[in-house]
Amino acid sequence: MKAVVLAGGFATRLRPLSCTRPKQLFPVVNRPLLDRVIERLVDHGVDEVILALHYMAEKIMLRYQNEFFSDIRIICIKEDRPLGTAGPLKLATRYLDKEPFLVLNGDILTFINYRDLYEHHLKCGGLATIAVKKVEDVSRYGVVELDERWRVMRFIEKPKGEVKSKMINAGIYVLDPKVLDMIPPGRKVMLEEELFPKLARDGQLYAYRYDGVWVDIGKPNDYLRANEKLLEVEAKPHNGVIMGREVIVKKGAELIPPVAIGDYVVIEEGSRVGPYACLGSRCFIGKGCMITDSVLFEGVHVGDYSAIKGAIIGENVTIGRWVKIERGCLIGDGAVVRDEVTLTQGVAVCPYKEVKESILTPCILK
Ligand code: GDD
Ligand code: MG
């Protein structure tokens, strides 16, 4: 089985953290999402993955062309301009043979069974099968209207008005190679805007319902939610605490499950970390700190008596003493937040910026 992973989007909704990495490399419980996606594909019998890249392609290529993933061949294809979600498939045609293949939005954390979806596609006999999921607010997604045989009657991408269905496109598909002939070459083409509505009209689009864990990490809140969900699952067999190698937790410091601590982390006395905190490797947490509902990337330094709640902190950020970082804050890589600064809800700090004064209204610090 082959799979194409779409991983070339600009991830604008995750700025400023995505200014320095594509979202597929954001850690989810301390491992890049794309590592997790590839691993699951291998588990379900995929032996070749094509990564469709554009934005910060080099960062992904560096990792996956050199990293040793046994049992799988990884091919990276870089678009010199963004080709959308269907254009990259046309570009990959020569790597796809006569068999149906999987296509994945690369920004989704899910436990879906890819093999099951593939087999469902073969049974339905259409040109394409898409995984669908029920959600309450459909407006951010592609919406599908189904008949009683699970055929997609209509596909509406990001509907503006009222729609009857609560079923959305989960961004995971099996396509017949004949679909490649329908994609015009050399320009941006969207599956969701051109191909799927047409396939639905032709009665060639089927749905596979999935109701398990599924999160599109494309927005900060959802990225945090993906970490929470996975943390609950992965920490369970470890009594709620995932512990890296050579971690030092000083006396009187407390880990409140579920929590994930990366390698070489140091937590000083009197600090409380968790629940729902992920600390990347080499993080240092000073005395008397409180860290909850947050993700800290690798190498974050937090000074004594600081509090971080519901925030995402980029790689190698330095946070001073007595700092308060509130819900929804996003701190770009390498930024420095000086002693006694408070960042109110929803403040974003650009990479390598130095913040010397408190910010009490939501804004982007450039
Ligand atoms: N190679 C490449 N080139 N990849 C791209 C490009 C491009 O030009 N544009 C977007 N992508 C990748 C993104 O990196 C992401 O992994 C995936 O395609 C989907 O793009 P998003 O920008 O995340 O789309 P979305 O989340 O708004 O909507 C899509 O996903 C929803 C499910 O989460 C649509 O497929 C919706 O229909 C769907 O419901
Ligand atoms: Mg998305």
Side-chain angles (χ1 to χ4, degrees), residues 214-235:
W214 181 93
V215 188
D216 174 335
I217 68 152
K219 288 189 2 181
N221 261 338
D222 293 335
Y223 169 67
L224 285 174
R225 204 157 53 83
N227 277 276
E228 281 169 20
K229 288 248 178 211
L230 192 64
L231 193 51
E232 280 170 0
V233 174
E234 293 204 331

Side-chain angles (χ1 to χ4, degrees), residues 75-139:
I75 296 164
C76 294
I77 303 182
K78 184 186 170 186
E79 299 141 46
D80 34 11
R81 66 208 145 94
L83 292 177
T85 48
L89 307 179
K90 191 72 176 181
L91 210 58
T93 302
R94 65 192 177 101
Y95 296 107
L96 300 164
D97 32 40
K98 307 257 169 309
E99 304 292 316
F101 54 90
L102 283 160
V103 177
L104 273 58
N105 284 351
D107 60 345
I108 287 165
L109 175 84
T110 178
F111 296 162
I112 196 171
N113 186 324
Y114 298 110
R115 162 71 63 191
D116 225 41
L117 165 67
Y118 195 86
E119 269 152 26
H120 183 79
H121 169 80
L122 299 180
K123 245 187 278 156
C124 289
L127 287 180
T129 303
I130 67 180
V132 299
K133 181 175 172 69
K134 197 170 179 193
V135 298
E136 269 320 300
D137 176 16
V138 298
S139 62

